[in-house]
Structure formats: C-alpha cells, structure tokens
Amino acid sequence: MKRPTMADIARRAGVSKVAVSYALNDQPGVSEATRASIKSIAAELGWRPNSAARALTGGRARAVGLIVRRPARTLGVEPFFMEFISGVETVLAEQAYALMLQMAADQEQEIEVCRRWWGERRVDGVFLMDLRTGDARIDAVRDVDLPAVVIGPPEVAGGLPAVWSDDGESMREIVRYLAALGHRRIARVAGPAELAHTAVRDTALAEACREAGIPEATVVHTDYTGDEGARAARALLIAPRRPTAIVFDNDIMAVAALSVAQELGLTIPADLSVVAWDESPLTQVVRPTLSAVTRDIPAYGARSATALLALIDGEDVGSVREGYAHFVPRGSTSPPPPESDPR
C-alpha cells in the first residue's frame, strides 16, 4: 500500500500541489469550498499533515520506531530495555538515525501509532517487541508496507525478520543445574502468559522438569513489576509445600523476592534458592548476589538495529539467532535444606 502524497491529493482534486499545500496548512489562496474538498480527499486517502515536506522531496525520515506495551514504571527500573536501547543507539548514531520511543496501553494503540508514524513519514521502520501468538501487528505493518523487525522467536514473526535468543535452552540449563543441586520443588514467577517468549519458557520448563525426573514446576504469571513479583513470591512461600527454588523472569522481581524471604524469616540460599533472568547491575549489588542468566543485551539491540536498517535499505534480511543466555551461579543458589528432601 503506497503512502498518499500531496501529489495524489492534487490529482484527485484536479488542482495544483500548491493549492493542496495552501488548503492543508490553512493558508489563504484557495476558496473555502476547494479547501473543504481537498481536506475531505486527504482524509479519504489517509494522508497525514506532517508528511508534507518529505512527500515533496521523497526523502527519508531517518528515524525508526519502538513501541512498548508494558507498565511505564517498568522502563524506569528494568535494565533490559535501557541496555537494549543503548545497543540500538550505537548503530543508529553511526547512520545518523533517531529512535522514536512511545508507550502504548494495548495492541490497538500500538497499531494506530505504527500507522500514524508511517503515514506521517516520521519513521522508516519499526521494531516489534513482546510478540503474541497470532499477533495482529504482523498483518498491520505488512498492509502498509512498513519495514519491521521482530524482537522474538521466528515462529511467531509471520515471516518477518526476527532477532531472537533461545530462551528454551536457557531455561533447560537452569533446571538441570537446580536438579543437580537436589531441588525437586521448583517454581517460576513469569511474565504475562500471552507473550510468545513467556510461552517458550513455559514449555521448556515443563520439558526440563520431566527430563530431570522431578515434579512439574509451579508457574505464576505476572506483569513483570516488583510489586507483582513480591506478591507471587509471598504466595508461593506461605503455601503448605513451599518451593525450595524460584526462577524469576526478570531481575526486578527476583530482587523484590529477597525482601519477601527476609520478611518470612527465610535465609537465601540455605532455605530458598533464587534465580534471576537477566543478569544486571541489580543482581550483583544485592546480597547475596543473584544467580542469573546472562547475555550481551546491548549487542542484541545493535544486531536488531543493523537488521532493521538493512531492511529499510531494501536488502534481503533473514532471522538472526543470538544463541541463548547462559546460566551463571552465584550466591543465591545452593542445595535445598535437608528437611525438604522427600526421600
């Protein structure tokens, strides 16, 4: 679908581009009837006012977009996003590109922002994060020929280029390690269930527990915030048969759980082992330091930006596998307490 220009409006209205410019910018030089007709045609074609200058020159916006649908407070405290964006910016800065960042309340708003950015020629392409199965954004960007790179597993990318990390292998490594320590009651405080990467981790966790010959792990889905992480941890730890190890889907929730354990008189790692995903400065400044999965998140962002700029340049871009985040044991994991061993 070709983006509408002032020339398209002029042809439809049977006037000059100058007349269209006057009408759309509410300047004198055209009659009110002509102005109304031009604005009606512009609305019908989906033309956006801010596209005027670039429509005439055919130039690029030299900007790419990222829309995040998570609680705004998450961005302020979760290091993943800032590290990812830092990697994106290293590539964009070299190419004199800017990053447009916006929060969205729901998927409909995300799609509307993408269409508006593209219609107004504010961006040349977008990153799609936190993919859902059957994600409507895939068809939406395709419908308007908006270049897009998915940050997530290729099986939900709908054929769009994907930059992804194998979360399943990371989860299996965590479970193998905890099982080797003797843990048989493992729980996980996860992100939203509808996210594709959450589903990948859910499946891998269940498979890894079966392979290790231990009971299936209890999983609680949250919104990634510290408050929800603490609430989930508290519910797990006051249950009749509390877990001896909990895996958290981000560092904020894992750190919040340390306070919950202290509140309940539990010692980490003697009474409870804790694992965080991903490693960050937060996981290393708390005591004990948190066992975590680690990967080069800025490099993840840089590869994503490189893929998107190549796509914008018309290159044939395939999916890029980043490997997987490796588990690093630190002070928050140890064998479970003897009394928790059912044997």
Side-chain angles (χ1 to χ4, degrees):
M1 178 178 175
K2 179 177 175 289
R3 288 180 292 187
T5 68
M6 288 208 300
D8 297 325
I9 300 170
R11 279 192 296 272
R12 177 75 71 86
V15 298
S16 69
K17 287 189 290 185
V18 172
V20 171
S21 178
Y22 286 160
L24 296 177
N25 289 289
D26 290 321
Q27 295 177 349
V30 294
S31 69
E32 288 306 312
T34 300
R35 189 188 311 278
S37 175
I38 288 172
K39 286 188 174 183
S40 175
I41 291 169
E44 179 184 341
L45 294 178
W47 182 87
R48 303 286 183 173
N50 287 348
S51 67
R54 294 189 187 97
L56 289 173
T57 64
R60 287 184 177 177
R62 301 206 68 81
V64 296
L66 171 61
I67 305 166
V68 179
R69 176 155 53 107
R70 292 195 189 184
R73 60 187 182 276
T74 302
L75 287 188
V77 295
E78 189 172 357
F80 172 85
F81 284 104
M82 292 302 101
E83 291 185 31
F84 180 85
I85 289 172
S86 74
V88 167
E89 286 286 9
T90 59
V91 174
L92 297 185
E94 291 176 356
Q95 301 297 322
Y97 261 77
L99 176 67
M100 297 273 287
L101 176 64
Q102 184 161 327
M103 308 297 293
D106 51 42
Q107 190 169 83
E108 290 72 22
Q109 187 180 7
E110 286 184 80
I111 291 172
E112 172 56 29
V113 171
C114 282
R115 287 173 174 162
R116 174 164 51 80
W117 278 351
W118 186 237
E120 295 176 358
R121 299 200 174 187
R122 290 175 178 268
V123 300
D124 299 319
V126 293
F127 300 105
L128 299 181
M129 297 190 78
D130 289 343
L131 267 285
R132 278 81 171 157
T133 300
D135 200 299
R137 290 173 294 173
I138 302 295
D139 286 340
V141 297
R142 277 206 171 116
D143 286 346
V144 294
D145 293 327
L146 170 57
V149 166
V150 168
I151 312 303
E155 56 265 29
V156 295
L160 295 177
V163 180
W164 62 294
S165 177
D166 190 346
D167 285 0
E169 184 54 38
S170 301
M171 185 61 72
R172 284 185 282 270
E173 185 176 357
I174 293 170
V175 173
R176 286 195 295 265
Y177 179 80
L178 292 174
L181 289 179
H183 290 277
R184 294 182 55 79
R185 294 204 301 274
I186 298 173
R188 173 165 152 258
V189 177
E194 66 270 18
L195 296 183
H197 66 262
T198 301
V200 168
R201 297 179 191 182
D202 287 348
T203 300
L205 176 61
E207 292 174 349
C209 287
R210 286 195 296 270
E211 291 168 2
I214 62 176
E216 185 171 344
T218 300
V219 179
V220 181
H221 293 101
T222 71
D223 65 358
Y224 281 123
T225 61
D227 288 345
E228 284 298 306
R231 188 173 293 110
R234 187 176 294 109
L236 290 167
L237 294 175
I238 64 176
R241 282 177 60 80
R242 63 176 175 81
T244 60
I246 305 179
V247 181
F248 292 86
D249 266 19
N250 72 359
D251 49 355
I252 298 301
M253 295 194 295
V255 170
L258 297 183
S259 296
V260 173
Q262 183 179 28
E263 166 193 320
L264 296 174
L266 300 175
T267 301
I268 294 176
D271 297 317
L272 174 70
S273 288
V274 173
V275 175
W277 193 320
D278 290 282
E279 183 180 55
S280 73
L282 279 177
T283 65
Q284 298 182 49
V285 298
V286 295
R287 292 293 178 270
T289 54
L290 294 179
S291 299
V293 290
T294 182
R295 55 181 166 170
D296 190 339
I297 297 172
Y300 193 28
R303 288 188 179 91
S304 301
T306 298
L308 182 54
L309 293 185
L311 190 65
I312 290 168
D313 283 339
E315 297 180 25
D316 186 13
V317 178
S319 294
V320 179
R321 183 177 182 272
E322 279 291 295
Y324 70 98
H326 295 275
F327 178 69
V328 179
R330 291 202 172 90
S332 66
T333 48
S334 72
E339 62 269 22
S340 70
D341 190 336
R343 295 171 296 182

